[in-house]
Amino acid sequence: SRFLLVILTMAFHPPAVADAKAQKALDAAVDVPAGPANVRVTRSVKRRKIAEGLLGAEVITEAEYGNHETFQARCTADATGGVAGEEEPAWFAPALAAALDANIAGIKADIAGIKSNIEGIKANLVNINARQSNMVAIGQSDPLAPLIDGAGNVDPNFPATLGALNTIMTGPALTASLTFYGQEAEGSDEDRRTQFMTGPA
């Protein structure tokens, strides 16, 4: 019934902490609902681990962390039908491990995405500087600063000089180099050389 749900919610309301930002972090990371007992246990453990990190950072007090330990024990006792401190049920460890693995996998994916974005930004900066240098090349023997792709690689067929760009880089070779740098080759060879020198529109 609705009344029972209210009672359960009150009984398993997680402890509060004084620091508003810490409280927000705890609530945003792990809510402990008045749902199935095994769910409450898993989430109370995760919440306690977050509280442990906040204690280590001296954001919450020892007493506030102790409240989270007590709350976890209460949730475990309710799930096992025993008292706080009893051995956790058989389903608990696998459920917790699965939940943590999923969180870790998500964090790793986020970090990989951030690293990829950073590498792309670094490549763009390198190429902007290289293209600015190349735009002042006039003589056929003037060197060209190499461009890099998102992984920091230089096209092995990158023309060393302006003359090489104008004579060697034609047709398929020019198209292949543009493709290497993630550009779609368009127009005549002259148009493609302009693309090569100026970069994406």
Side-chain angles (χ1 to χ4, degrees):
S1 69
R2 189 168 193 170
F3 177 74
L4 179 59
L5 179 60
V6 170
I7 294 299
L8 284 172
T9 301
M10 293 175 61
F12 290 99
H13 186 73
V17 297
D19 187 279
K21 290 184 178 179
Q23 183 66 50
K24 186 175 181 181
L26 286 164
D27 290 340
V30 186
D31 182 27
V32 183
N38 61 326
V39 173
R40 285 202 301 273
V41 173
T42 301
R43 293 189 176 183
S44 68
V45 171
K46 291 173 66 178
R47 188 181 177 95
R48 194 265 304 163
K49 287 183 178 294
I50 294 170
E52 184 176 1
L54 293 171
L55 174 64
E58 299 183 350
V59 178
I60 66 173
T61 66
E62 290 276 0
E64 288 173 330
Y65 174 68
N67 291 338
H68 279 78
E69 286 187 311
T70 301
F71 180 71
Q72 177 194 330
R74 285 178 52 223
C75 289
T76 302
D78 175 69
T80 59
V83 296
E86 282 195 350
E87 185 177 352
E88 294 164 342
W91 53 261
F92 174 75
L96 177 60
L100 292 177
D101 285 346
N103 285 345
I104 291 171
I107 291 170
K108 285 182 177 179
D110 289 342
I111 292 173
I114 292 170
K115 285 183 176 180
S116 178
N117 289 339
I118 291 173
E119 291 303 317
I121 292 170
K122 288 168 63 177
N124 286 340
L125 292 174
V126 169
N127 290 341
I128 287 171
N129 290 331
R131 287 189 168 106
Q132 287 177 341
S133 174
N134 294 341
M135 289 300 291
V136 300
I138 300 174
Q140 296 300 298
S141 62
D142 286 352
L144 296 181
L147 307 174
I148 61 174
D149 65 5
N153 301 312
V154 177
D155 179 3
N157 297 315
F158 188 90
T161 64
L162 181 62
L165 174 62
N166 291 331
T167 58
I168 300 174
M169 299 294 282
T170 60
L174 188 53
T175 298
S177 193
L178 285 168
T179 301
F180 181 90
Y181 291 113
Q183 293 180 251
E184 184 177 350
E186 298 176 351
S188 65
D189 278 0
E190 191 60 35
D191 293 331
R192 296 178 186 190
R193 289 191 188 95
T194 300
Q195 277 186 271
F196 189 86
M197 291 291 282
T198 60

